[in-house]
Amino acid sequence: MDSVISKLRSLDAYPKINEDFYSRTLSGGVITLVSSIVMLLLFISELKFYLHAATETQLVVDTSRGETLPINFDITFPAIQCSILSLDAMDISGNQHLDVKHDIIKKRIDANGNVIEARQEGIGAPKIEKPLQRHGGRLEHNETYCGSCYGAEASHDDCCNSCEEVREAYRKKGWALSNPDLIDQCKREGFLQRIKDEEGEGCNIYGSLEVNKVAGNFHFAPGKSFHQSGVHVHDLLAFQRDSFNISHKINRLAFGEYFPGIMNPLDRVQWTQETPSGMYQYFIKVVPTVYTDFSGHTIQSNQISVTEHFRSVGAGQLQAFPGVFFFYDLSPIKVTRKLKYIGYKLADPEQDLTNQTLVTFTEGHVSFLHFLTNVCAIIGGVFTVSGILDSFVYHGQRAIKKKMELGKFS
């Protein structure tokens, strides 16, 4: 038994020295203090890295088909009243959504940005007492109202019972409504008077759109849109104004849901118009993104990059009218951001590589063994380097002292 213990004792890689043989120096104390501080700082840095998620990126393939693109927006126009502001969306596949009102909320705001009134688009219209019938007479008791479309009806049985319906019928015909006061519905609803009453007001418009996942645009502009000679134009004659101030502030613009780490470069962007009228254009590149957390919950979203341009609008230009335009295009790169431990398999290498390129963001904590290894490396490395430095200083001091005693040091 004693021989076994003796052999184990001989394997001791850390032989002990009697304290009587220790020689403590000032330089050694300074080096010990500095090295302890360095070890503490490096340990804190390593601990923060361990607790914080790390990110890696990988290219894979986007095989998605038939998806839609959600657009969430919140934009303030301080110089355009809500009653004349409209929203259109269209894409290269030919789909058009003109004067969008579904899931759209408008807030009338004063010059100081205070909310005057909030209303959902398409809801609420003034009640008309004894309006003009299509045949020319006034609405009588127990008679069904059917207002005239003033030549814009698609069939003989069509009725336009409000100013908005007359404007919509004119839009479908590609006609401009030059004088709303000549339209009984508009006159009785006080269409122009309402616009005049709202002069000096602004509009905060927010809501969401669901569009095809192809290149396209959506825009905010005064007037109702229609097509004339194959060109998309807006009817501005009804407002009896020569210029429109399209200064705006983008409170929020996102192409999909929020996820941790997303950056939307257009959030809180503000632009002030200095010329009489013009088009402000944003050219957006949409990057599809998939975010997956540790629990496996997945968020399908998008990130964007953007450039912008202002174009002055002159009188009589059909293809250029005042408004704020967002032209978007889909990037062939898709980003997948996944929470997982680094070092695991990131993607299946046997995926079909026949579609769009896809970038994988792999995000996760460093494993505990990796953290423990780094901590040991920090302690051992600093201890070793400080020991070498202390030995160098100690032996250097002794050599200099010995030379001074022999009178050889000058």
Side-chain angles (χ1 to χ4, degrees):
M1 186 66 182
D2 291 339
S3 61
V4 174
I5 295 175
S6 178
K7 287 181 179 180
L8 287 175
R9 187 181 292 117
S10 65
L11 295 176
D12 185 4
Y14 311 100
K16 312 304 181 291
I17 301 175
N18 194 308
E19 289 189 4
D20 295 337
F21 297 100
Y22 284 153
S23 177
R24 302 186 185 278
T25 62
L26 176 62
S27 62
V30 172
I31 292 174
T32 301
L33 179 62
V34 172
S35 61
S36 299
I37 294 173
V38 170
M39 276 192 287
L40 179 62
L41 293 176
L42 291 176
F43 173 75
I44 293 174
S45 175
E46 187 63 28
L47 181 62
K48 290 172 70 176
F49 179 72
Y50 170 68
L51 297 176
H52 189 269
T55 304
E56 288 188 354
T57 306
Q58 185 188 22
L59 293 174
V60 288
V61 172
D62 180 15
T63 56
S64 60
R65 290 289 188 276
E67 295 182 353
T68 58
L69 184 65
I71 303 173
N72 304 305
F73 58 86
D74 182 352
I75 303 177
T76 299
F77 295 87
I80 296 183
Q81 55 263 53
C82 290
S83 57
I84 69 173
L85 187 64
S86 65
L87 167 62
D88 297 333
M90 54 197 69
D91 59 48
I92 59 174
S93 68
N95 284 346
Q96 297 187 9
H97 306 276
L98 304 181
D99 198 14
V100 180
K101 296 183 178 180
H102 185 64
D103 293 332
I104 305 296
I105 304 294
K106 288 181 179 179
K107 289 182 180 179
R108 293 170 55 196
I109 57 176
D110 60 22
N112 298 318
N114 301 315
V115 177
I116 301 172
E117 178 192 20
R119 64 173 182 262
Q120 186 168 354
E121 273 291 81
I123 295 180
K127 183 179 179 181
I128 304 175
E129 298 295 339
K130 296 192 71 173
L132 185 68
Q133 289 279 55
R134 184 178 62 184
H135 53 68
R138 290 288 174 180
L139 180 66
E140 300 298 336
H141 185 62
N142 293 330
E143 188 178 5
T144 302
Y145 174 50
C146 181
S148 172
C149 295
Y150 297 89
E153 56 272 357
S155 67
H156 182 72
D157 296 330
D158 285 350
C159 301
C160 293
N161 296 339
S162 67
C163 182
E164 184 64 24
E165 290 182 3
V166 176
R167 295 179 68 206
E168 180 66 16
Y170 268 57
R171 183 195 67 77
K172 290 179 179 178
K173 284 284 188 178
W175 297 350
L177 188 62
S178 58
N179 191 352
D181 276 343
L182 297 179
I183 307 299
D184 181 69
Q185 293 89 325
C186 297
K187 185 177 181 180
R188 296 183 66 82
E189 291 177 13
F191 175 75
L192 285 179
Q193 186 60 43
R194 188 166 72 248
I195 293 175
K196 291 178 181 178
D197 291 343
E198 294 181 6
E199 281 188 4
E201 295 181 6
C203 186
N204 172 231
I205 180 170
Y206 63 93
S208 60
L209 291 171
E210 195 85 16
V211 298
N212 292 330
K213 200 171 180 180
V214 295
N217 82 84
F218 63 98
H219 56 267
F220 302 86
K224 186 174 285 290
S225 60
F226 60 94
H227 279 79
Q228 187 178 82
S229 303
V231 178
H232 180 82
V233 295
H234 278 242
D235 177 14
L236 305 179
L237 295 176
F239 307 130
Q240 301 176 359
R241 290 168 59 177
D242 296 328
S243 63
F244 296 87
N245 186 343
I246 58 168
S247 298
H248 59 276
K249 179 181 180 182
I250 303 174
N251 305 305
R252 179 173 181 264
L253 180 65
F255 286 73
E257 296 183 50
Y258 170 82
F259 63 87
I262 189 172
M263 296 291 292
N264 289 322
L266 286 178
D267 286 358
R268 295 177 294 280
V269 167
Q270 187 168 355
W271 179 79
T272 303
Q273 179 175 310
E274 298 178 354
T275 58
S277 196
M279 299 173 62
Y280 204 84
Q281 301 168 318
Y282 293 95
F283 299 93
I284 299 171
K285 181 68 72 172
V286 180
V287 182
T289 303
V290 180
Y291 177 85
T292 306
D293 59 19
F294 283 114
S295 64
H297 177 250
T298 299
I299 298 175
Q300 300 280 347
S301 189
N302 299 277
Q303 300 181 83
I304 63 172
S305 62
V306 62
T307 57
E308 50 196 87
H309 174 69
F310 177 72
R311 177 181 177 186
S312 296
V313 174
Q317 289 182 269
L318 284 179
Q319 296 186 0
F321 49 89
V324 178
F325 291 73
F326 297 87
F327 298 91
Y328 58 87
D329 194 7
L330 276 296
S331 170
I333 296 176
K334 184 174 183 179
V335 177
T336 302
R337 196 168 192 178
K338 188 176 296 183
L339 292 172
K340 58 195 297 187
Y341 284 107
I342 295 176
Y344 283 22
K345 188 177 180 182
L346 304 182
D348 185 0
E350 296 182 358
Q351 290 185 43
D352 178 44
L353 303 180
T354 59
N355 197 18
Q356 295 178 314
T357 305
L358 179 145
V359 179
T360 301
F361 258 163
T362 304
E363 188 177 74
H365 293 298
V366 176
S367 67
F368 179 74
L369 289 178
H370 190 278
F371 167 71
L372 192 62
T373 302
N374 285 352
V375 170
C376 292
I378 288 171
I379 296 173
V382 173
F383 185 81
T384 301
V385 171
S386 60
I388 294 172
L389 182 61
D390 178 62
S391 176
F392 176 78
V393 172
Y394 175 71
H395 290 292
Q397 286 179 339
R398 288 191 62 187
I400 292 173
K401 187 176 180 181
K402 186 177 290 185
K403 285 187 177 183
M404 291 178 66
E405 289 175 351
L406 298 175
K408 295 181 179 181
F409 185 81
S410 56

